[in-house]
Amino acid sequence: MSRSLMKLSWLVAAAMAAVDVAACGSTPARSSPIPKTSQADSPAVSTQALAQTYLADVAPANGALTTLETEANSLTVSNVAATVAPVTSANETLSNQLHSLGLQASPHIKALLTTTVASIRTEIADLQDLAACITEAHVAGALAQFKQDAPAENAATAAVRTALRLPASS
């Protein structure tokens, strides 16, 4: 794949919604640890409060994605690790926040958040694998997987937003 086509692929893939970059090798997926908490039986809070917290929680990850999209045209094997590191960090934080938010939610919303957290944990592993790519071919393979995985992330996000009575993300 030519470098310009690869860069264009990155931009298209990144614009598909959430960062859902997939493994560039055959490394098994890793997952971030779920934070331990004793709030398992916390009472449900209002949907409006959950929605406000959700929007505040996803903002940094969305910002990191925007930065990744901006830098996609200059992405190379030599800078891929540094470029995806902020996205990985933001997604690790988001995963933990959404897990905690689920502990306060109704069973229906908690289930949707659990699905979203699982997709974010897969994304984190995929970003870690992407950061370890050592050839342009690895990066191209990760982009192809990203495009294939994006619809699942989009569906999980859309389901949460619908349950929280938020408008669809643009």
Side-chain angles (χ1 to χ4, degrees):
M1 175 180 271
S2 74
R3 175 164 267 153
S4 62
L5 183 56
M6 184 187 74
K7 289 178 185 174
L8 178 60
S9 294
W10 243 109
L11 189 56
V12 169
M16 291 179 70
V19 176
D20 204 7
V21 182
C24 57
S26 59
T27 306
R30 295 173 300 277
S31 63
S32 298
I34 294 175
K36 303 282 187 225
T37 178
S38 60
Q39 300 173 341
D41 296 322
S42 295
V45 297
S46 75
T47 301
Q48 181 179 6
L50 290 171
Q52 290 172 349
T53 302
Y54 172 84
L55 290 174
D57 290 349
V58 300
N62 288 342
L65 172 60
T66 299
T67 300
L68 179 62
E69 290 171 351
T70 301
E71 296 175 359
N73 287 331
S74 60
L75 188 67
T76 65
V77 171
S78 63
N79 70 5
V80 68
T83 303
V84 301
V87 181
T88 302
S89 177
N91 282 328
E92 288 170 345
T93 300
L94 178 60
S95 173
N96 293 332
Q97 289 170 322
L98 294 183
H99 173 75
S100 295
L101 189 63
L103 297 175
Q104 304 170 48
S106 67
H108 172 69
I109 294 174
K110 180 180 180 177
L112 295 172
L113 287 168
T114 298
T115 300
T116 302
V117 167
S119 69
I120 292 170
R121 292 185 193 288
T122 298
E123 179 179 299
I124 290 166
D126 294 343
L127 286 166
Q128 290 167 338
D129 288 341
L130 180 63
C133 287
I134 57 172
T135 68
E136 297 292 331
H138 284 154
V139 174
L143 291 175
Q145 189 64 47
F146 177 95
K147 291 176 187 177
Q148 181 179 341
D149 291 343
E153 175 72 21
N154 294 343
T157 299
V160 169
R161 290 183 73 88
T162 297
L164 294 176
R165 298 182 189 121
L166 292 169
S169 57
S170 50

